[in-house]
Amino acid sequence: MAKTTNLKVRLVGAGPGDPELITLKGLSAMKKADVILHDALVSKELLNHASPSCKLVNVGKRAGKHTLSQDEINRLIVFYATRYKNVARLKGGDPYVFGRGHEELDYIHKRGISVEIIPGISSAIAAPASVGIPLTKRGINESFWVITGTCSSGEMSNDIRLASQSGATVIILMGMNNLSQIVQNFYYSRGADEPVAIVQRATTAGQKSIRGTIGTIQQLVISNKISAPAVIIIGKVVNESSIHEVLKEDLIRHASI
């Protein structure tokens, strides 16, 4: 099928959670949209920027609470694109960073519908920054890896084993269900004292964060009731946080509980 000449769908990155962290281009696409199909984690404050006449469709998926399958979401995007002039698919973070954005683009393109990608700020970048952790620092590390903690099978990604053997900062998304296995891999490769931070609901009003080591992080998760959605950061840059002295006091207090 030949592509249409008119732009019909925009895949928009909504950013990590804070409604002010969407790009100006993403916000413009929202305001123009006749229909917005949005993820569950997109904030109500951000959706308030939509036109009063805009139809809002929640197609959100959360771990264990999928309202729609990916195939159903794909079909809905095409359904609305064939009936409305401007359709926005608003996805948390960046559509191309573990957001299945390219799957949606492929499906839409094959139906002859034109698509524009509007990148967003990924939580992989925003979560460490929100608690003062630099992903890179001269003399500390030379790279960072961004890895999914859970494959489509539910198992831990094999790339985590490879990453644990490197000197890189490792940022793990969607890894809380496999935290025990992740810790075990890093324990054998980097030792119990390797610094770790976890940031839950980064950049939102509900943000919580903990810092510890490979040896202490699982107990800290339990005592602080940390759960998904959360970003795991592993590496020596965790100790370079701009609020490191406060963090050390927190760790001492937790250790004494």
Side-chain angles (χ1 to χ4, degrees):
M1 184 185 296
K3 292 181 182 178
T4 58
T5 56
N6 294 326
L7 180 67
K8 301 293 293 234
V9 176
R10 293 178 175 89
L11 298 184
V12 182
D18 182 341
E20 294 184 343
L21 287 178
I22 191 171
T23 65
L24 288 174
K25 191 168 187 176
L27 191 62
S28 175
M30 283 187 62
K31 291 179 177 179
K32 293 176 183 176
D34 302 308
V35 180
I36 297 175
L37 299 96
H38 63 89
D39 285 350
L41 294 177
V42 172
S43 70
K44 292 181 180 179
E45 291 84 357
L46 182 55
L47 292 174
N48 285 339
H49 289 288
S51 165
S53 62
C54 179
K55 183 179 181 65
L56 301 177
V57 182
N58 185 347
V59 295
K61 297 188 293 180
R62 294 187 182 182
K65 299 179 179 179
H66 290 194
T67 55
L68 294 171
S69 70
Q70 187 62 54
D71 284 343
E72 288 171 324
I73 292 171
N74 293 345
R75 289 196 293 270
L76 271 179
I77 297 171
V78 170
F79 172 84
Y80 285 111
T82 57
R83 289 161 175 79
Y84 291 86
K85 183 178 180 180
N86 289 303
V87 174
R89 170 68 173 107
L90 191 61
K91 301 174 71 67
D94 180 276
Y96 275 18
V97 181
F98 299 117
R100 305 187 73 170
H102 201 267
E103 293 177 40
E104 295 180 3
L105 179 143
D106 274 347
Y107 186 92
I108 299 165
H109 265 177
K110 287 175 181 176
R111 273 76 188 166
I113 298 168
S114 183
V115 183
E116 179 183 9
I117 305 296
I118 301 178
I121 300 172
S122 171
S123 61
I125 305 298
S130 72
V131 292
I133 296 172
L135 285 185
T136 61
K137 186 171 181 180
R138 187 167 55 178
I140 302 296
N141 70 325
E142 298 174 359
S143 65
F144 63 88
W145 296 35
V146 179
I147 307 173
T148 179
T150 306
C151 296
S152 57
S153 65
E155 297 179 354
M156 185 191 76
S157 168
N158 190 55
D159 281 357
I160 288 174
R161 297 183 180 91
L162 300 174
S164 70
Q165 297 167 29
S166 74
T169 301
V170 181
I171 303 98
I172 302 173
L173 308 182
M174 300 173 287
M176 293 302 290
N177 287 341
N178 289 321
L179 181 61
S180 179
Q181 288 179 273
I182 292 167
V183 164
Q184 185 178 39
N185 274 271
F186 278 87
Y187 176 83
Y188 287 122
S189 297
R190 300 194 186 184
D193 293 332
E194 182 73 1
V196 185
I198 299 179
V199 185
Q200 176 182 316
R201 299 188 68 87
T203 76
T204 71
Q207 176 173 306
K208 293 173 65 176
S209 63
I210 55 173
R211 274 66 157 204
T213 65
I214 285 296
T216 64
I217 197 66
Q218 290 186 89
Q219 184 56 49
L220 289 171
V221 165
I222 294 169
S223 60
N224 287 276
K225 299 180 179 178
I226 300 295
S227 60
V231 176
I232 304 166
I233 306 119
I234 304 174
K236 291 181 173 54
V237 291
V238 170
N239 286 342
E240 299 300 310
S241 169
S242 57
I243 51 174
H244 181 48
E245 293 304 314
V246 174
L247 301 178
K248 285 198 294 187
E249 292 176 6
D250 287 345
L251 291 176
I252 292 170
R253 184 171 65 252
H254 286 303
S256 65
I257 294 175

